[in-house]
Amino acid sequence: MTKDKRLLTSLEIRIHTEIISNNQFTICIADNGEAMEKSVQKLLFDPFFTTKPVGKGTGMGLSISYQIVTQRHGGSLKFIAQAGQGTEFIVTIPLIQEC
């Protein structure tokens, strides 16, 4: 039980926001867990892709998020995954939306 408690206290999720230009801001969400395998990275934004067992998820979350950020808001959704350093998602969105 002590081992699990140490493990939980060493995991981190970091959230950072920043205005990067006159019309763009970023939201960065990062963790320090194990990075995703390359095979998962290639499929991450594909509709219906999931790493969960059958019946335990639809695999639509990141696909829908990608569509909303890119198509509806004209932004971008990227990630950086590095072995031993975790994964960071970077959402960039214009401050002023085109109508």
Coordinates of all heavy atoms in Angstrom, one line a residue:
M1 N 0.8 -1.2 0.0 CA 0.0 0.0 0.0 C 0.9 1.3 0.0 O 0.5 2.2 -0.7 CB -0.9 0.0 1.2 CG -1.9 1.1 1.2 SD -3.4 0.6 1.9 CE -4.4 2.0 1.6
T2 N 2.0 1.2 0.7 CA 2.9 2.4 0.7 C 3.4 2.7 -0.7 O 3.5 3.8 -1.1 CB 4.0 2.2 1.7 OG1 3.5 1.8 3.0 CG2 4.9 3.4 1.9
K3 N 3.7 1.6 -1.4 CA 4.2 1.8 -2.8 C 3.2 2.6 -3.6 O 3.6 3.5 -4.4 CB 4.5 0.4 -3.4 CG 5.1 0.5 -4.8 CD 5.4 -0.9 -5.3 CE 5.8 -0.8 -6.7 NZ 6.0 -2.1 -7.3
D4 N 1.9 2.2 -3.6 CA 0.9 2.9 -4.4 C 0.8 4.3 -4.0 O 0.6 5.2 -4.8 CB -0.4 2.2 -4.2 CG -0.5 0.8 -4.8 OD1 0.4 0.5 -5.7 OD2 -1.3 0.0 -4.4
K5 N 0.9 4.6 -2.7 CA 0.8 6.0 -2.2 C 1.9 6.9 -2.8 O 1.7 8.0 -3.2 CB 0.8 6.0 -0.7 CG 0.4 7.4 -0.1 CD 0.2 7.3 1.4 CE -0.3 8.6 1.9 NZ -0.5 8.5 3.4
R6 N 3.1 6.3 -2.8 CA 4.3 7.0 -3.3 C 4.1 7.3 -4.8 O 4.4 8.4 -5.3 CB 5.6 6.3 -3.1 CG 6.2 6.5 -1.8 CD 7.7 6.1 -1.8 NE 7.8 4.7 -2.3 CZ 7.9 3.6 -1.6 NH1 7.9 3.7 -0.3 NH2 8.1 2.5 -2.2
L7 N 3.6 6.3 -5.5 CA 3.3 6.4 -6.9 C 2.3 7.5 -7.2 O 2.6 8.3 -8.1 CB 2.8 5.1 -7.5 CG 2.5 5.1 -9.0 CD1 3.8 5.3 -9.8 CD2 1.9 3.7 -9.4
L8 N 1.3 7.6 -6.5 CA 0.2 8.6 -6.7 C 0.8 10.0 -6.4 O 0.4 10.9 -7.2 CB -1.0 8.4 -5.8 CG -1.8 7.2 -6.2 CD1 -2.9 6.9 -5.1 CD2 -2.5 7.4 -7.5
T9 N 1.6 10.2 -5.5 CA 2.2 11.5 -5.2 C 3.2 11.9 -6.2 O 3.5 13.1 -6.3 CB 2.7 11.6 -3.8 OG1 3.8 10.6 -3.6 CG2 1.7 11.4 -2.7
S10 N 3.8 11.0 -7.0 CA 4.8 11.4 -7.9 C 4.2 11.7 -9.3 O 4.9 12.3 -10.1 CB 5.9 10.3 -8.1 OG 5.3 9.1 -8.6
L11 N 3.0 11.4 -9.5 CA 2.3 11.7 -10.8 C 1.9 13.2 -10.8 O 1.4 13.7 -9.8 CB 1.2 10.8 -11.1 CG 1.5 9.3 -11.3 CD1 0.3 8.5 -11.5 CD2 2.5 9.1 -12.4
E12 N 2.0 13.8 -11.9 CA 1.6 15.2 -12.0 C 0.8 15.5 -13.3 O 1.0 14.9 -14.3 CB 2.8 16.1 -12.1 CG 3.7 16.2 -10.9 CD 4.9 17.1 -11.1 OE1 4.9 17.8 -12.1 OE2 5.7 17.1 -10.2
I13 N -0.1 16.4 -13.2 CA -0.8 17.0 -14.4 C -0.6 18.5 -14.3 O -0.9 19.1 -13.2 CB -2.3 16.6 -14.4 CG1 -2.5 15.1 -14.6 CG2 -3.0 17.4 -15.5 CD1 -3.9 14.7 -14.6
R14 N -0.1 19.0 -15.3 CA 0.2 20.5 -15.4 C -0.7 21.1 -16.4 O -0.8 20.6 -17.5 CB 1.7 20.7 -15.7 CG 2.6 20.2 -14.6 CD 4.1 20.4 -15.0 NE 4.4 19.9 -16.3 CZ 4.7 18.6 -16.7 NH1 4.5 17.7 -15.8 NH2 5.0 18.3 -17.9
I15 N -1.3 22.3 -16.1 CA -2.1 23.0 -17.0 C -1.5 24.4 -17.1 O -1.3 25.1 -16.1 CB -3.6 23.1 -16.6 CG1 -4.1 21.6 -16.5 CG2 -4.4 23.9 -17.6 CD1 -5.5 21.5 -15.9
H16 N -1.3 24.9 -18.3 CA -0.7 26.2 -18.5 C -1.4 26.9 -19.7 O -1.7 26.3 -20.7 CB 0.8 26.0 -18.9 CG 1.5 27.3 -19.3 ND1 2.0 28.1 -18.4 CD2 1.8 27.8 -20.5 CE1 2.5 29.2 -19.0 NE2 2.5 29.0 -20.3
T17 N -1.7 28.2 -19.4 CA -2.4 29.0 -20.5 C -1.4 30.1 -20.8 O -0.7 30.6 -19.9 CB -3.7 29.5 -20.1 OG1 -3.6 30.3 -18.9 CG2 -4.7 28.3 -19.8
E18 N -1.5 30.6 -22.1 CA -0.6 31.7 -22.5 C -1.2 32.4 -23.7 O -1.6 31.7 -24.6 CB 0.8 31.2 -22.8 CG 1.8 32.2 -23.1 CD 3.2 31.6 -23.4 OE1 3.3 30.4 -23.2 OE2 4.1 32.4 -23.7
I19 N -1.2 33.7 -23.7 CA -1.5 34.4 -25.0 C -0.2 34.4 -25.8 O 0.9 34.9 -25.3 CB -2.0 35.8 -24.7 CG1 -3.3 35.8 -23.9 CG2 -2.1 36.7 -26.0 CD1 -3.8 37.1 -23.5
I20 N -0.2 33.9 -27.0 CA 1.1 33.8 -27.7 C 1.2 34.8 -28.9 O 2.3 34.9 -29.5 CB 1.2 32.3 -28.3 CG1 0.1 31.9 -29.2 CG2 1.4 31.4 -27.2 CD1 0.2 30.6 -29.9
S21 N 0.1 35.5 -29.2 CA 0.2 36.6 -30.2 C -1.0 37.5 -29.9 O -1.8 37.2 -29.0 CB 0.1 36.0 -31.6 OG -1.1 35.5 -31.9
N22 N -1.2 38.5 -30.8 CA -2.3 39.4 -30.6 C -3.7 38.6 -30.8 O -4.7 39.1 -30.3 CB -2.3 40.5 -31.7 CG -1.2 41.5 -31.3 OD1 -0.7 41.6 -30.2 ND2 -0.8 42.2 -32.3
N23 N -3.7 37.5 -31.5 CA -5.0 36.9 -31.7 C -4.9 35.4 -31.4 O -5.8 34.6 -31.9 CB -5.4 37.1 -33.1 CG -6.9 36.6 -33.4 OD1 -7.7 36.8 -32.5 ND2 -7.1 36.0 -34.5
Q24 N -4.0 34.9 -30.6 CA -4.0 33.4 -30.3 C -3.6 33.2 -28.9 O -2.8 33.9 -28.3 CB -3.0 32.7 -31.2 CG -3.5 32.5 -32.6 CD -2.6 31.6 -33.4 OE1 -1.4 31.6 -33.2 NE2 -3.2 30.8 -34.2
F25 N -4.2 32.2 -28.3 CA -3.7 31.7 -27.0 C -3.6 30.2 -27.0 O -4.2 29.5 -27.9 CB -4.7 32.2 -25.9 CG -6.0 31.5 -25.8 CD1 -6.3 30.4 -25.0 CD2 -7.1 31.9 -26.7 CE1 -7.5 29.8 -24.9 CE2 -8.3 31.3 -26.6 CZ -8.5 30.3 -25.8
T26 N -2.9 29.7 -26.1 CA -2.7 28.2 -26.0 C -3.1 27.7 -24.6 O -3.0 28.5 -23.6 CB -1.2 27.8 -26.2 OG1 -0.4 28.4 -25.2 CG2 -0.7 28.1 -27.6
I27 N -3.6 26.5 -24.6 CA -3.9 25.8 -23.4 C -3.0 24.5 -23.5 O -3.2 23.8 -24.4 CB -5.4 25.4 -23.2 CG1 -6.2 26.7 -23.3 CG2 -5.6 24.7 -21.9 CD1 -7.7 26.4 -23.5
C28 N -2.1 24.3 -22.5 CA -1.3 23.1 -22.5 C -1.6 22.3 -21.3 O -1.7 22.8 -20.2 CB 0.2 23.5 -22.5 SG 0.7 24.6 -23.8
I29 N -1.9 21.0 -21.6 CA -2.2 20.1 -20.5 C -1.2 18.9 -20.6 O -1.1 18.3 -21.7 CB -3.6 19.5 -20.7 CG1 -4.6 20.7 -20.7 CG2 -3.9 18.5 -19.5 CD1 -6.0 20.3 -21.1
A30 N -0.4 18.7 -19.6 CA 0.7 17.8 -19.7 C 0.7 16.9 -18.4 O 0.2 17.3 -17.4 CB 2.1 18.5 -19.8
D31 N 1.2 15.7 -18.6 CA 1.4 14.8 -17.5 C 2.8 14.2 -17.6 O 3.5 14.4 -18.5 CB 0.4 13.6 -17.5 CG 0.5 12.6 -18.6 OD1 1.7 12.4 -19.1 OD2 -0.5 12.1 -19.0
N32 N 3.3 13.6 -16.5 CA 4.6 13.0 -16.4 C 4.5 11.5 -16.4 O 5.5 10.8 -15.9 CB 5.4 13.6 -15.3 CG 4.8 13.2 -13.9 OD1 3.6 12.8 -13.8 ND2 5.6 13.3 -12.9
G33 N 3.4 10.9 -16.9 CA 3.3 9.5 -16.9 C 4.1 8.9 -18.1 O 4.8 9.6 -18.8
E34 N 3.8 7.6 -18.3 CA 4.4 7.0 -19.5 C 3.8 7.6 -20.8 O 2.6 7.8 -20.9 CB 4.2 5.5 -19.4 CG 4.9 4.8 -18.3 CD 4.7 3.3 -18.3 OE1 4.5 2.7 -19.4 OE2 4.7 2.7 -17.3
A35 N 4.7 7.8 -21.7 CA 4.2 8.3 -23.0 C 3.5 7.2 -23.8 O 3.7 6.0 -23.6 CB 5.4 8.9 -23.8
M36 N 2.6 7.7 -24.7 CA 1.9 6.7 -25.5 C 2.8 6.0 -26.5 O 3.8 6.7 -27.0 CB 0.8 7.5 -26.4 CG -0.2 8.1 -25.5 SD -1.3 9.1 -26.6 CE -0.3 10.6 -26.7
E37 N 2.5 4.8 -26.8 CA 3.3 4.1 -27.8 C 3.1 4.7 -29.2 O 2.1 5.3 -29.5 CB 2.9 2.6 -27.9 CG 3.2 1.9 -26.6 CD 2.7 0.4 -26.6 OE1 2.5 -0.1 -27.8 OE2 2.6 -0.2 -25.6
K38 N 4.1 4.6 -30.1 CA 4.0 5.2 -31.4 C 2.7 4.7 -32.2 O 2.1 5.5 -32.9 CB 5.2 4.9 -32.3 CG 6.5 5.5 -31.7 CD 6.6 6.9 -32.0 CE 7.9 7.5 -31.5 NZ 7.9 8.9 -31.6
S39 N 2.4 3.4 -32.0 CA 1.2 2.9 -32.7 C -0.1 3.6 -32.2 O -1.0 3.8 -33.0 CB 1.1 1.4 -32.5 OG 1.0 1.1 -31.1
V40 N -0.2 4.0 -31.0 CA -1.3 4.7 -30.4 C -1.3 6.1 -30.9 O -2.3 6.7 -31.3 CB -1.3 4.6 -28.9 CG1 -2.4 5.6 -28.3 CG2 -1.5 3.2 -28.4
Q41 N -0.1 6.8 -31.0 CA 0.0 8.1 -31.4 C -0.5 8.4 -32.8 O -1.2 9.4 -33.1 CB 1.5 8.6 -31.3 CG 2.0 8.7 -29.9 CD 3.5 9.1 -29.9 OE1 3.9 9.8 -30.8 NE2 4.2 8.6 -28.9
K42 N -0.3 7.4 -33.7 CA -0.7 7.5 -35.1 C -2.2 7.6 -35.2 O -2.8 8.1 -36.2 CB -0.2 6.4 -35.9 CG 1.3 6.4 -36.1 CD 1.8 5.2 -36.8 CE 3.3 5.1 -36.9 NZ 3.8 3.9 -37.5
L43 N -3.0 7.0 -34.3 CA -4.4 6.8 -34.4 C -5.2 7.7 -33.4 O -6.4 7.7 -33.4 CB -4.8 5.3 -34.1 CG -4.1 4.3 -35.0 CD1 -4.4 2.9 -34.5 CD2 -4.7 4.5 -36.4
L44 N -4.5 8.5 -32.6 CA -5.1 9.2 -31.5 C -6.3 10.0 -31.8 O -7.3 10.0 -31.1 CB -4.1 10.1 -30.8 CG -4.4 10.5 -29.4 CD1 -4.5 9.3 -28.5 CD2 -3.3 11.4 -28.9
F45 N -6.3 10.7 -32.9 CA -7.5 11.6 -33.3 C -8.5 10.9 -34.2 O -9.4 11.5 -34.7 CB -7.0 12.9 -33.9 CG -6.2 13.7 -32.9 CD1 -4.9 14.1 -33.2 CD2 -6.7 14.1 -31.7 CE1 -4.1 14.8 -32.3 CE2 -6.0 14.9 -30.8 CZ -4.7 15.2 -31.1
D46 N -8.3 9.6 -34.5 CA -9.2 8.9 -35.4 C -10.5 8.6 -34.7 O -10.5 8.1 -33.6 CB -8.5 7.6 -35.9 CG -7.4 7.8 -36.9 OD1 -7.1 8.9 -37.2 OD2 -6.8 6.8 -37.3
P47 N -11.6 8.8 -35.4 CA -12.9 8.4 -34.8 C -12.9 6.9 -34.5 O -12.4 6.1 -35.2 CB -13.9 8.7 -35.9 CG -13.2 9.6 -36.9 CD -11.8 9.3 -36.8
F48 N -13.5 6.6 -33.3 CA -13.7 5.3 -32.8 C -12.5 4.6 -32.3 O -12.5 3.4 -31.9 CB -14.5 4.4 -33.8 CG -15.7 5.0 -34.3 CD1 -15.8 5.4 -35.6 CD2 -16.8 5.1 -33.5 CE1 -17.0 6.0 -36.1 CE2 -18.0 5.7 -33.9 CZ -18.1 6.2 -35.2
F49 N -11.3 5.2 -32.4 CA -10.1 4.6 -31.8 C -10.1 4.7 -30.3 O -10.4 5.7 -29.7 CB -8.8 5.3 -32.3 CG -7.6 4.7 -31.7 CD1 -7.1 3.4 -32.0 CD2 -6.9 5.4 -30.7 CE1 -6.0 2.9 -31.3 CE2 -5.8 4.9 -30.0 CZ -5.4 3.6 -30.3
T50 N -9.9 3.6 -29.6 CA -9.8 3.5 -28.2 C -8.8 2.4 -27.8 O -8.6 1.5 -28.5 CB -11.2 3.2 -27.6 OG1 -11.1 3.3 -26.1 CG2 -11.8 1.9 -28.0
T51 N -8.2 2.7 -26.6 CA -7.4 1.6 -26.0 C -8.1 0.9 -25.0 O -7.5 0.0 -24.4 CB -6.1 2.3 -25.4 OG1 -6.6 3.2 -24.4 CG2 -5.3 3.0 -26.5
K52 N -9.4 1.2 -24.8 CA -10.2 0.5 -23.7 C -10.8 -0.8 -24.3 O -10.9 -0.9 -25.5 CB -11.3 1.5 -23.3 CG -10.8 2.7 -22.6 CD -12.0 3.6 -22.2 CE -11.5 4.9 -21.6 NZ -12.6 5.8 -21.4
P53 N -11.1 -1.7 -23.4 CA -11.8 -2.9 -23.9 C -13.1 -2.6 -24.5 O -13.7 -1.6 -24.3 CB -12.0 -3.7 -22.5 CG -11.2 -3.0 -21.5 CD -10.9 -1.6 -22.0
V54 N -13.6 -3.6 -25.4 CA -14.8 -3.4 -26.1 C -16.0 -3.2 -25.0 O -16.0 -3.8 -24.0 CB -15.1 -4.7 -26.9 CG1 -16.5 -4.7 -27.5 CG2 -14.1 -4.9 -27.9
G55 N -16.8 -2.2 -25.4 CA -17.9 -1.9 -24.5 C -17.6 -0.9 -23.4 O -18.4 -0.5 -22.6
K56 N -16.3 -0.5 -23.3 CA -15.9 0.4 -22.2 C -15.6 1.8 -22.7 O -15.0 2.6 -22.0 CB -14.7 -0.1 -21.5 CG -14.9 -1.4 -20.8 CD -15.8 -1.2 -19.6 CE -16.0 -2.6 -18.9 NZ -17.0 -2.4 -17.8
G57 N -15.9 2.2 -23.9 CA -15.7 3.5 -24.4 C -16.0 3.6 -25.9 O -15.9 2.5 -26.6
T58 N -16.2 4.8 -26.4 CA -16.6 4.9 -27.8 C -15.4 5.3 -28.7 O -15.4 5.2 -29.9 CB -17.7 6.0 -28.0 OG1 -17.2 7.2 -27.6 CG2 -18.9 5.6 -27.3
G59 N -14.4 5.9 -28.1 CA -13.2 6.3 -28.8 C -13.5 7.6 -29.6 O -12.9 7.9 -30.6
M60 N -14.5 8.4 -29.2 CA -14.9 9.6 -29.9 C -14.4 10.9 -29.2 O -14.4 11.9 -29.8 CB -16.4 9.7 -30.0 CG -17.0 8.6 -30.8 SD -16.4 8.6 -32.5 CE -17.1 10.2 -33.1
G61 N -13.9 10.8 -28.0 CA -13.5 12.0 -27.3 C -12.5 12.9 -28.0 O -12.7 14.1 -28.2
L62 N -11.3 12.4 -28.3 CA -10.3 13.2 -28.9 C -10.6 13.5 -30.4 O -10.3 14.6 -30.9 CB -9.0 12.5 -28.8 CG -8.3 12.6 -27.4 CD1 -7.1 11.8 -27.4 CD2 -8.0 14.0 -27.1
S63 N -11.4 12.7 -31.1 CA -11.8 12.9 -32.4 C -12.7 14.1 -32.5 O -12.6 15.1 -33.3 CB -12.5 11.7 -33.0 OG -13.0 12.0 -34.3
I64 N -13.7 14.1 -31.6 CA -14.6 15.2 -31.5 C -13.9 16.5 -31.0 O -14.2 17.6 -31.6 CB -15.8 14.9 -30.6 CG1 -16.7 13.8 -31.2 CG2 -16.7 16.1 -30.2 CD1 -17.8 13.2 -30.3
S65 N -13.1 16.4 -30.0 CA -12.3 17.6 -29.6 C -11.5 18.2 -30.7 O -11.5 19.4 -30.9 CB -11.3 17.2 -28.4 OG -12.1 16.7 -27.4
Y66 N -10.8 17.3 -31.5 CA -10.0 17.8 -32.6 C -10.9 18.6 -33.6 O -10.6 19.6 -34.1 CB -9.4 16.6 -33.3 CG -8.5 17.0 -34.5 CD1 -7.2 17.4 -34.2 CD2 -8.9 17.1 -35.8 CE1 -6.3 17.8 -35.2 CE2 -8.1 17.5 -36.8 CZ -6.8 17.8 -36.5 OH -6.0 18.2 -37.5
Q67 N -12.1 18.0 -33.9 CA -13.0 18.7 -34.9 C -13.5 20.0 -34.4 O -13.5 21.0 -35.1 CB -14.2 17.8 -35.2 CG -13.9 16.6 -36.0 CD -15.1 15.7 -36.2 OE1 -16.2 15.9 -35.8 NE2 -14.9 14.6 -37.0
I68 N -13.8 20.1 -33.1 CA -14.3 21.3 -32.5 C -13.2 22.4 -32.5 O -13.5 23.5 -32.9 CB -14.8 21.1 -31.1 CG1 -16.1 20.3 -31.1 CG2 -15.1 22.4 -30.3 CD1 -16.6 19.8 -29.7
V69 N -12.1 22.0 -32.1 CA -11.0 23.0 -32.1 C -10.6 23.5 -33.4 O -10.4 24.7 -33.7 CB -9.7 22.4 -31.3 CG1 -8.5 23.3 -31.5 CG2 -10.0 22.2 -29.8
T70 N -10.4 22.6 -34.4 CA -9.9 22.9 -35.7 C -11.0 23.5 -36.6 O -10.8 24.5 -37.3 CB -9.3 21.7 -36.4 OG1 -10.2 20.7 -36.6 CG2 -8.1 21.3 -35.6
Q71 N -12.2 22.9 -36.7 CA -13.2 23.3 -37.6 C -14.1 24.4 -37.1 O -14.4 25.4 -37.8 CB -14.1 22.1 -38.0 CG -13.3 21.1 -38.8 CD -14.0 19.8 -39.1 OE1 -15.3 19.7 -38.9 NE2 -13.3 18.7 -39.5
R72 N -14.5 24.3 -35.9 CA -15.4 25.3 -35.3 C -14.7 26.6 -34.9 O -15.2 27.7 -35.0 CB -16.2 24.7 -34.2 CG -17.2 25.7 -33.6 CD -18.4 24.9 -33.0 NE -19.3 25.8 -32.4 CZ -20.5 26.1 -32.8 NH1 -20.9 25.6 -33.9 NH2 -21.3 26.9 -32.1
H73 N -13.5 26.4 -34.3 CA -12.8 27.6 -33.8 C -11.5 28.0 -34.6 O -10.9 29.0 -34.2 CB -12.4 27.3 -32.3 CG -13.5 27.1 -31.4 ND1 -14.3 28.1 -31.1 CD2 -14.0 26.0 -30.8 CE1 -15.3 27.7 -30.2 NE2 -15.1 26.4 -30.1
G74 N -11.2 27.2 -35.6 CA -10.1 27.6 -36.5 C -8.7 27.5 -35.8 O -7.8 28.2 -36.1
G75 N -8.6 26.6 -34.8 CA -7.4 26.4 -34.0 C -6.7 25.2 -34.4 O -6.9 24.6 -35.5
S76 N -5.8 24.7 -33.5 CA -5.1 23.5 -33.7 C -5.1 22.7 -32.4 O -5.1 23.3 -31.3 CB -3.7 23.7 -34.2 OG -2.9 24.4 -33.2
L77 N -5.0 21.4 -32.5 CA -4.8 20.5 -31.4 C -3.7 19.5 -31.7 O -3.8 18.8 -32.7 CB -6.1 19.7 -31.1 CG -6.1 18.7 -30.0 CD1 -5.7 19.2 -28.7 CD2 -7.5 18.1 -29.9
K78 N -2.6 19.6 -31.0 CA -1.5 18.8 -31.2 C -1.1 18.1 -29.9 O -1.5 18.5 -28.8 CB -0.3 19.6 -31.7 CG -0.5 20.4 -32.9 CD 0.7 21.2 -33.3 CE 0.3 22.5 -33.9 NZ 1.4 23.4 -34.2
F79 N -0.1 17.2 -30.0 CA 0.4 16.6 -28.8 C 1.9 16.2 -29.0 O 2.3 16.1 -30.1 CB -0.4 15.3 -28.3 CG -0.2 14.2 -29.3 CD1 0.8 13.2 -29.1 CD2 -1.1 14.0 -30.3 CE1 0.9 12.2 -29.9 CE2 -1.0 13.0 -31.2 CZ 0.0 12.0 -31.0
I80 N 2.6 16.2 -27.9 CA 4.0 15.8 -27.9 C 4.1 14.7 -26.8 O 3.7 14.8 -25.7 CB 4.9 16.9 -27.4 CG1 4.8 18.1 -28.4 CG2 6.4 16.4 -27.4 CD1 5.4 19.4 -27.9
A81 N 4.6 13.5 -27.3 CA 4.7 12.4 -26.3 C 6.1 11.9 -26.4 O 6.7 11.6 -27.5 CB 3.8 11.2 -26.8
Q82 N 6.8 11.9 -25.2 CA 8.2 11.5 -25.1 C 8.3 10.5 -24.1 O 7.9 10.7 -22.9 CB 9.1 12.7 -24.8 CG 9.1 13.8 -25.9 CD 9.9 15.0 -25.6 OE1 10.2 15.3 -24.4 NE2 10.3 15.7 -26.6
A83 N 9.0 9.4 -24.4 CA 9.2 8.3 -23.5 C 9.9 8.8 -22.2 O 10.8 9.5 -22.3 CB 10.0 7.2 -24.1
G84 N 9.3 8.4 -21.1 CA 9.9 8.8 -19.8 C 9.6 10.2 -19.4 O 10.0 10.7 -18.3
Q85 N 8.9 11.0 -20.2 CA 8.6 12.4 -19.9 C 7.1 12.7 -20.0 O 6.7 13.8 -19.6 CB 9.4 13.4 -20.8 CG 10.9 13.3 -20.6 CD 11.6 14.3 -21.5 OE1 11.0 15.2 -22.1 NE2 12.9 14.2 -21.6
G86 N 6.3 11.8 -20.4 CA 4.9 12.0 -20.5 C 4.4 12.5 -21.8 O 5.1 12.5 -22.8
T87 N 3.2 13.1 -21.7 CA 2.5 13.6 -22.9 C 2.0 15.0 -22.6 O 1.5 15.3 -21.5 CB 1.3 12.6 -23.3 OG1 1.8 11.3 -23.5 CG2 0.6 13.1 -24.5
E88 N 2.0 15.8 -23.6 CA 1.5 17.2 -23.5 C 0.6 17.4 -24.7 O 0.9 17.2 -25.8 CB 2.6 18.2 -23.5 CG 2.1 19.6 -23.4 CD 3.3 20.7 -23.4 OE1 4.4 20.4 -23.8 OE2 3.0 21.7 -22.8
F89 N -0.6 17.9 -24.4 CA -1.6 18.3 -25.4 C -1.6 19.8 -25.5 O -1.6 20.5 -24.5 CB -3.0 17.8 -25.1 CG -3.2 16.4 -25.4 CD1 -2.9 15.4 -24.4 CD2 -3.7 15.9 -26.6 CE1 -3.1 14.1 -24.6 CE2 -3.8 14.6 -26.8 CZ -3.6 13.7 -25.9
I90 N -1.5 20.4 -26.7 CA -1.4 21.8 -26.9 C -2.6 22.2 -27.8 O -2.7 21.8 -29.0 CB -0.1 22.2 -27.6 CG1 1.1 21.6 -26.8 CG2 0.0 23.7 -27.8 CD1 2.4 21.5 -27.5
V91 N -3.5 23.0 -27.2 CA -4.6 23.6 -27.9 C -4.3 25.0 -28.2 O -4.0 25.8 -27.3 CB -5.9 23.5 -27.0 CG1 -7.1 24.0 -27.8 CG2 -6.1 22.0 -26.6
T92 N -4.4 25.4 -29.5 CA -4.2 26.8 -29.9 C -5.5 27.3 -30.5 O -6.0 26.6 -31.4 CB -3.0 26.9 -30.9 OG1 -1.8 26.4 -30.3 CG2 -2.7 28.4 -31.2
I93 N -6.0 28.4 -30.0 CA -7.3 28.9 -30.5 C -7.2 30.5 -30.7 O -6.6 31.1 -29.9 CB -8.4 28.6 -29.5 CG1 -8.6 27.1 -29.3 CG2 -9.7 29.3 -29.9 CD1 -9.6 26.8 -28.2
P94 N -7.7 31.0 -31.8 CA -7.8 32.4 -32.0 C -8.6 33.1 -30.9 O -9.7 32.5 -30.5 CB -8.4 32.6 -33.3 CG -8.3 31.3 -34.0 CD -8.3 30.3 -32.9
L95 N -8.2 34.3 -30.4 CA -9.0 35.0 -29.4 C -10.2 35.6 -30.1 O -11.3 35.7 -29.4 CB -8.1 36.2 -28.9 CG -7.0 35.8 -27.9 CD1 -6.1 37.0 -27.7 CD2 -7.5 35.3 -26.6
I96 N -10.1 36.0 -31.3 CA -11.2 36.6 -32.0 C -11.7 35.6 -33.1 O -10.9 35.2 -33.9 CB -10.9 38.0 -32.6 CG1 -10.5 38.9 -31.5 CG2 -12.1 38.5 -33.4 CD1 -9.9 40.2 -32.0
Q97 N -12.9 35.1 -33.0 CA -13.4 34.1 -34.0 C -14.0 34.8 -35.2 O -14.6 35.9 -35.1 CB -14.5 33.3 -33.3 CG -14.1 32.6 -32.0 CD -13.2 31.4 -32.3 OE1 -13.5 30.6 -33.1 NE2 -12.0 31.4 -31.7
E98 N -13.7 34.2 -36.4 CA -14.4 34.7 -37.6 C -15.8 34.2 -37.6 O -16.1 33.0 -37.3 CB -13.6 34.1 -38.8 CG -12.2 34.6 -38.9 CD -12.0 36.0 -39.3 OE1 -12.9 36.5 -40.1 OE2 -11.1 36.7 -38.9
C99 N -16.7 35.0 -38.0 CA -18.1 34.6 -38.1 C -18.5 34.1 -39.4 O -18.0 34.3 -40.4 CB -19.1 35.7 -37.7 SG -18.8 36.2 -36.0

